[in-house]
Amino acid sequence: MDLDVFVTAHRTEWDRLDQLLGRGRRLTGAEADELVALYQRTATHLSLIQSSAPDPMLTARLTQLVARARATVTGTRRASWRDAAAFLTTGFPAAVYRTRHWWVPTAVVSTVVAVLIGWWIGTHPEVQSAIGAPGELRAMTRPGGQYETYYSSHPAASFAAQVWTNNARAAALCLVLGAFLGLPVLAVLFANMLNVGIGIGLMSSAGRLDVFLGLILPHGLLELTAVFVAAGTGLRLGWTLVDPGPKTRRAALAEQGRAAVGMAVGLALVLFLSGLIEGFVTPSGLPTWTRIAIGIAAELAFLLYVYVLGGRASRAGETGDVAEADRTASVPTAA
């Protein structure tokens, strides 16, 4: 496409659209119809330029023009409590449900890896000596040691906030790094499983595995599930780069990316709940079985939320993507 000829042929239409958008008064019916037609044509022009002869300055001008026209044609839309409720009852659970074929295997494999690491450390004293000196390991695993006092080392509220921030960061990293073919996600996931495996191995070698599980299960079930969901979603995002399916790679990645951003918000709320459990329940004086029961109840509630609400929303066509009206048009709508 000859860009100079194209610009010469359509500059008048773009200038006219800019003129209509700059009117300080209400448009007449004929002017409104003209604005809609020019908006559609300009959107088509922008699409053609981006695909055939990308020019940064011209693309920037037309992008701004199309955005202004779209806002005028469709009106300004503000987020409301209804949008938040729809996100929590349909969008987020549907997105998690639709990625279950990624995060469920991720959870199973990761758990097996953590258990194997724990078994390896717990049954090989030479590995334990490589982790720390005997005195340091005893200080970590003895009654009242570091593993037990960790959860009560800070005031519950500040500890819960710190845990939530760290876990939300890890989940966000898994989601964002998925765009790099998912490889960094595996590194983040392995680091988390390594920490869990070390705890299992050291506490089991000291004969206190029951204490360790009593400390980690109340909050760890929900916390690790959120991390597995984030990791599975990140891996799916990375696979979209390899196999976008029937859509173009750009469109498929955009759809998965928008859903992933929404999931980051939802998972932050899930991790906030697990942080509260870790800050207030795990170090509490409640019996071990009560603390574990609370953790199991929170985990079951999340799974029911995903499989019941999310499954129903997914079967109704919900994908977790933003509303169609809020997406950038991916194909020309008029000539």
Side-chain angles (χ1 to χ4, degrees):
M1 182 176 70
D2 190 318
L3 187 60
D4 292 333
V5 173
F6 189 84
V7 171
T8 301
H10 298 289
R11 178 185 288 123
T12 302
E13 293 175 302
W14 303 338
D15 291 341
R16 175 58 177 165
L17 178 59
D18 188 36
Q19 181 185 15
L20 289 173
L21 292 172
R23 291 284 179 87
R25 57 177 177 79
R26 292 176 61 89
L27 299 178
T28 64
E31 288 174 334
D33 291 340
E34 183 184 8
L35 187 148
V36 171
L38 290 173
Y39 158 58
Q40 293 175 328
R41 290 177 199 164
T42 304
T44 301
H45 299 159
L46 175 60
S47 211
L48 289 172
I49 291 172
Q50 288 177 325
S51 60
S52 303
D55 177 88
M57 293 185 64
L58 182 59
T59 299
R61 183 200 172 189
L62 294 186
T63 299
Q64 183 183 36
L65 198 58
V66 168
R68 290 170 56 204
R70 183 183 182 189
T72 301
V73 171
T74 61
T76 303
R77 184 177 180 277
R78 296 182 179 178
S80 64
W81 287 108
R82 182 176 299 176
D83 295 319
F87 169 75
L88 292 175
T89 57
T90 58
F92 173 58
V96 178
Y97 179 82
R98 285 170 60 86
T99 57
R100 67 193 185 282
H101 298 304
W102 286 88
W103 62 263
V104 171
T106 298
V108 173
V109 173
S110 299
T111 302
V112 171
V113 169
V115 171
L116 288 177
I117 291 174
W119 169 82
W120 182 53
I121 294 174
T123 56
H124 291 74
E126 67 277 12
V127 178
Q128 299 171 28
S129 62
I131 295 174
E136 294 175 337
L137 297 183
R138 282 195 298 271
M140 294 171 62
T141 59
R142 64 179 173 80
Q146 295 175 13
Y147 269 115
E148 291 186 44
T149 59
Y150 169 75
Y151 297 102
S152 56
S153 57
H154 300 284
S158 62
F159 182 70
Q162 179 183 353
V163 167
W164 174 56
T165 302
N166 292 337
N167 291 331
R169 184 185 298 114
L173 281 175
C174 287
L175 292 169
V176 172
L177 295 177
F180 298 94
L181 296 178
L183 297 179
V185 177
L186 297 177
V188 173
L189 195 57
F190 180 76
N192 277 271
M193 293 305 99
L194 180 61
N195 288 332
V196 175
I198 291 174
I200 292 175
L202 295 180
M203 290 294 277
S204 64
S205 67
R208 310 192 71 234
L209 181 59
D210 57 333
V211 175
F212 179 77
L213 294 179
L215 290 171
I216 197 173
L217 288 180
H219 63 274
L221 290 173
L222 187 59
E223 177 184 297
L224 289 176
T225 299
V227 173
F228 294 148
V229 170
T233 303
L235 292 174
R236 183 188 185 189
L237 186 62
W239 183 250
T240 301
L241 287 170
V242 179
D243 181 13
K247 300 181 179 180
T248 64
R249 184 168 281 102
R250 179 179 178 181
L253 189 61
E255 179 180 333
Q256 296 298 333
R258 289 191 299 265
V261 170
M263 290 180 71
V265 176
L267 289 176
L269 297 176
V270 175
L271 288 169
F272 177 72
L273 176 58
S274 73
L276 290 178
I277 296 175
E278 187 168 1
F280 292 92
V281 176
T282 298
S284 70
L286 293 172
T288 300
W289 69 267
T290 303
R291 290 185 281 112
I292 293 178
I294 291 174
I296 293 175
E299 174 73 359
L300 290 177
F302 177 72
L303 293 178
L304 287 174
Y305 167 71
V306 169
Y307 278 87
V308 176
L309 288 183
R312 183 186 305 153
S314 178
R315 289 187 291 272
E318 179 64 52
T319 64
D321 197 356
V322 298
E324 186 175 0
D326 295 327
R327 305 175 201 165
T328 301
S330 57
V331 295
T333 56

